[in-house]
Amino acid sequence: MKRFGVAALSTLVLSSAFANFAGAQPGDIKVIINGVTQQYTQSPVVSQNTTLVPLRGVFESLGAKVDWDSKAKKVTASKNDDTLTLNVGSKLAYKNSNPVQLDAATQIQKGQVLVPLRFVSQSLGAKVNWDQATRTVTISNQANGSTTGERTNSLSSKPLAVPVTQVTYDTYYNDSLTYDDAVKLAVADSTSVKTAATNIDQAGKIMKEAGKNIDFVPAEAGDEGQDKAFKGYAQTNLNYEAAKKNLDMTKEGIEYNVKDLYNKLLQKQNAVKLAALNIEDAERKLKVAQIKRDNQMSSDYEVTQATNQVTQNQAALEKAKKDLDSAYVSLNQVIGYKPEQRYELKDKPVYSEFKDNVETKVSQVLTSSTAIWLSEQKVDLAELSLKLYNFNTAGNTPYEAEQLNVEKAQYATEGTKRQLEEAVRTIYNNIKALESQYSQIQAGLVSARSAADMAKKQFDVGLATELQVYEANLKVTTAEQQAEDIVTNIDTLKLAFDKPWAMQGSSGASAQ
C-alpha cells in the first residue's frame, strides 16, 4: 500500500490536473476555466455540430469586460488592447474592426448570449479543448494551466493562479427595471387604482347632487327636512374625501408591495449565486476525496459522502432557481409583465445607519395617517347625527343608540391609533435588530478577508491548498451576500416605518 506524507498530499491537492468530475447529468456540458468549474443559468449547448458557450460567463472569467446593448442586441467585449463586437443572430463578429467568421450564429437562451466555442480562442487567444467523451469544455489563458481536460492522477508542482469564488449569473436581459419605474407600472396596471379613481368621480357626483338638496328643501319640510339634507350632504362630502384618501392609500400600498417584491427578487438572485458557489466548493472537495482514495489515503466512504454533498448542493441550486423564477413571476404579475419576462434590477439598496427617532415618528403617524383621518371623520359624522337628532320623528333610532354609535366610532379610532403606534415601534425594533446583525457580519468580514488574504499568500509559497484558498474566499462571499440580504430587508422596513398603514394595505392594493 502506498503512503504519502503531508508534503506529498499538499502537492496532490494543489495539482491543476485534477480528474474531471464525473457526476454531471448525462448530456450536460461541463465548462472548466483555468481549473475552476463554472455554473451558468444557461448551460452550453450543441447546435448543428457546434458547441455554443455563454459569452459573458466565459469572457469575464478570462478577464474581459463585457457590455450589452439591449436595444441593438449587440455585445462588446474588451481586454487589454483588443475590442470584440458581435450581434445576436449573426455569424459575423469583429475583432478590432476586422471581421471574424463564426461557425454558427450567436443566439440567446434564458437571457444569455451563446457563441461558438472556437470563437473564444479566435478572439482572446485562450487554449480551448473539447472532450467529446466527457462532454467537457476546458479553457485556459494561463501560461502553465492544464488545457487537455484528460482524466489523470499525475501530480504537478507548477504554480497555479489563485482560485476565486466567482460564479457568473449575470444575463443579457431584454430590459432593465428601476424601483420607481416598477411602481409606475404597477400603479398603471392596478385595477384597484382604477376602481378607486372611479369611486372619486362617483362620490363627487353624489356630493354635488346632495348639495342641491340643501338649497332646495321645501318649506313644508321644516327644520327636520333641513337637518336631514345637511346630514346627507355631510355624509356624501365625507364619502368624497374618503374616496380621495383611499386612492392615496391604494397607491401607497402598491408602493410598499413593489418594494417588498423588488427586494425579495434581489435576495433570490443572491441565493442562486451562493448556491452555485456551494456546488463548486462541493465539487472541489469531491475531487480531493477521489484523488486521496485513488492513492490509498482514504476510503470509498469519504468519496460517497462528498458525492452526496454535491448532489444536495445541486438540488439546492435547482430550488434556488425555481424560487427566483417565482419571485420574477410575483413581481411581473403586479407590474403587468408577462410571467416569463426577465430584466435586470437597477436599484440595489445601500446601507446607511437608521437615525429616525421612534417617538417623533409615532407622533407624525398619529397626525398624518390616512387611516386615522378616516376613523376620526366617522366620529365627527356620528357626533353630527347626534346633534341633529330629532326627538319628534317617529321610528327614529333611540337617542341612546345614537350615543353608542359615537362611542363605537371613538373606540375604533383609538384602536387604529394603537395599532399604528405598535406597528411603528415594532418596525423600529426590527430595523435596529437587523442593524446589529449587519454590524456583526461586517466585523466577521474583516476577519474573513484577512484570512482569505493570508490563504492567498500561503498559496503563493506552497503552504496552502487550492481548496483552502477557495473556502476562505467562499466565506467572504457568503458573508457579503448575507450583508446584502440584511440591507434589502432594512430598505423594505424603512418604507414601512415611514408609512406603516401602507404595509397593512399592501395586500389589498396589489389585488388585481
Side-chain angles (χ1 to χ4, degrees):
M1 177 181 293
K2 297 181 181 179
R3 298 284 185 182
F4 286 83
V6 174
L9 177 59
S10 177
T11 304
L12 177 75
V13 177
L14 282 169
S15 172
S16 62
F18 280 126
N20 286 328
F21 172 56
Q25 295 298 320
D28 286 354
I29 297 177
K30 183 178 179 183
V31 178
I32 301 175
I33 300 179
N34 293 331
V36 179
T37 302
Q38 306 297 300
Q39 296 289 338
Y40 305 118
T41 47
Q42 169 58 51
S43 301
V45 299
V46 175
S47 177
Q48 298 179 349
N49 297 321
T50 300
T51 302
L52 303 175
V53 296
L55 184 147
R56 181 188 289 276
V58 173
F59 277 40
E60 287 186 344
S61 295
L62 295 174
K65 179 183 177 182
V66 181
D67 294 309
W68 166 249
D69 185 337
S70 59
K71 293 183 179 180
K73 294 191 179 301
K74 177 182 178 181
V75 180
T76 303
S78 59
K79 181 180 180 183
N80 299 328
D81 296 329
D82 292 327
T83 300
L84 312 167
T85 58
L86 66 159
N87 291 87
V88 174
S90 174
K91 294 185 67 174
L92 195 64
Y94 292 89
K95 180 177 182 179
N96 299 328
S97 301
N98 297 317
V100 178
Q101 186 69 35
L102 304 181
D103 296 332
T106 58
Q107 57 181 268
I108 291 182
Q109 292 193 24
K110 292 186 179 179
Q112 291 199 17
V113 173
L114 302 181
V115 297
L117 175 61
R118 195 160 67 93
F119 180 60
V120 177
S121 59
Q122 291 175 317
S123 57
L124 296 179
K127 296 181 179 179
V128 179
N129 181 72
W130 164 248
D131 189 330
Q132 179 64 37
T134 61
R135 295 178 64 81
T136 300
V137 176
T138 307
I139 304 173
S140 175
N141 62 351
Q142 299 173 359
N144 297 316
S146 172
T147 61
T148 64
E150 297 176 356
R151 188 179 301 276
T152 175
N153 283 334
S154 63
L155 305 182
S156 171
S157 59
K158 295 179 180 180
L160 301 174
V162 178
V164 294
T165 52
Q166 175 178 308
V167 62
T168 298
Y169 192 70
D170 294 334
T171 56
Y172 294 89
Y173 300 102
N174 296 325
D175 199 359
S176 61
L177 185 69
T178 66
Y179 166 68
D180 288 340
D181 285 342
V183 170
K184 292 176 183 177
L185 288 168
V187 169
D189 192 63
S190 172
T191 56
S192 297
V193 169
K194 295 171 184 176
T195 300
T198 302
N199 288 340
I200 292 175
D201 186 45
Q202 183 184 50
K205 288 179 170 58
I206 295 173
M207 181 183 67
K208 185 176 180 180
E209 191 64 29
K212 293 179 182 179
N213 293 337
I214 294 179
D215 297 331
F216 299 100
V217 175
E220 59 270 19
D223 292 339
E224 182 180 353
Q226 288 284 352
D227 291 345
K228 185 177 181 181
F230 183 75
K231 180 181 176 182
Y233 177 75
Q235 177 68 63
T236 58
N237 182 69
L238 173 60
N239 291 341
Y240 176 69
E241 294 299 327
K244 292 195 294 184
K245 292 288 187 180
N246 184 63
L247 176 59
D248 292 338
M249 288 183 65
T250 301
K251 290 180 178 179
E252 289 167 345
I254 290 174
E255 181 183 358
Y256 172 81
N257 193 44
V258 171
K259 171 71 74 172
D260 185 46
L261 295 174
Y262 193 97
N263 282 346
K264 283 179 179 176
L265 182 52
L266 287 171
Q267 291 175 330
K268 297 304 181 184
Q269 288 179 338
N270 272 348
V272 170
K273 294 176 183 179
L274 193 57
L277 292 176
N278 286 331
I279 286 182
E280 184 174 341
D281 179 50
E283 287 180 342
R284 288 173 179 270
K285 290 177 180 177
L286 175 58
K287 291 175 182 178
V288 171
Q290 288 172 329
I291 294 176
K292 287 170 64 179
R293 179 199 59 189
D294 293 345
N295 287 278
Q296 301 179 10
M297 297 174 65
S298 68
S299 65
D300 288 338
Y301 176 77
E302 184 176 342
V303 174
T304 300
Q305 292 296 99
T307 301
N308 290 340
Q309 189 60 56
V310 171
T311 302
Q312 292 175 18
N313 287 2
Q314 288 173 335
L317 176 60
E318 289 306 310
K319 182 181 183 303
K321 289 180 179 179
K322 291 179 180 177
D323 290 344
L324 177 60
D325 285 337
S326 296
Y328 266 112
V329 171
S330 295
L331 183 54
N332 288 350
Q333 183 178 10
V334 171
I335 64 178
Y337 277 8
K338 294 180 179 179
E340 66 274 11
Q341 192 158 347
R342 298 296 179 264
Y343 38 82
E344 179 185 8
L345 300 181
K346 299 297 289 185
D347 293 325
K348 295 184 179 180
V350 178
Y351 179 79
S352 61
E353 185 181 356
F354 188 65
K355 297 181 179 180
D356 283 27
N357 182 279
V358 66
E359 299 303 330
T360 301
K361 176 54 67 174
V362 166
S363 178
Q364 291 175 349
V365 166
L366 294 182
T367 57
S368 63
S369 166
T370 303
I372 292 176
W373 180 88
L374 286 170
S375 189
E376 289 175 340
Q377 292 301 306
K378 291 178 181 179
V379 173
D380 292 343
L381 188 61
E383 290 177 342
L384 177 63
S385 295
L386 194 62
K387 290 178 182 179
L388 298 178
Y389 187 84
N390 192 311
F391 290 91
N392 298 322
T393 302
N396 263 2
T397 304
Y399 183 78
E400 292 77 9
E402 292 289 349
Q403 287 179 312
L404 292 177
N405 283 336
V406 174
E407 290 184 25
K408 287 166 61 178
Q410 290 172 337
Y411 292 149
T413 300
E414 184 62 27
T416 301
K417 289 181 178 180
R418 289 183 180 181
Q419 187 178 19
L420 287 175
E421 180 178 350
E422 181 181 355
V424 170
R425 296 187 187 281
T426 299
I427 295 169
Y428 179 84
N429 291 333
N430 288 341
I431 291 175
K432 285 303 177 182
L434 287 173
E435 284 189 332
S436 296
Q437 293 181 31
Y438 181 81
S439 297
Q440 293 173 3
I441 290 177
Q442 291 302 310
L445 266 172
V446 174
S447 299
R449 287 169 178 154
S450 177
D453 184 59
M454 178 60 68
K456 175 183 179 300
K457 292 177 180 177
Q458 292 177 336
F459 180 85
D460 290 340
V461 296
L463 297 178
T465 66
E466 179 181 343
L467 180 60
Q468 288 171 327
V469 175
Y470 184 87
E471 290 187 327
N473 286 330
L474 180 57
K475 289 180 180 179
V476 173
T477 303
T478 301
E480 288 174 342
Q481 295 196 356
Q482 288 173 342
E484 288 182 16
D485 285 347
I486 288 177
V487 171
T488 54
N489 284 334
I490 291 176
D491 184 61
T492 302
L493 287 175
K494 283 182 177 179
L495 180 56
F497 183 80
D498 188 48
K499 297 177 181 178
W501 58 87
M503 179 176 63
Q504 296 171 350
S506 63
S507 58
S510 62
Q512 299 300 306

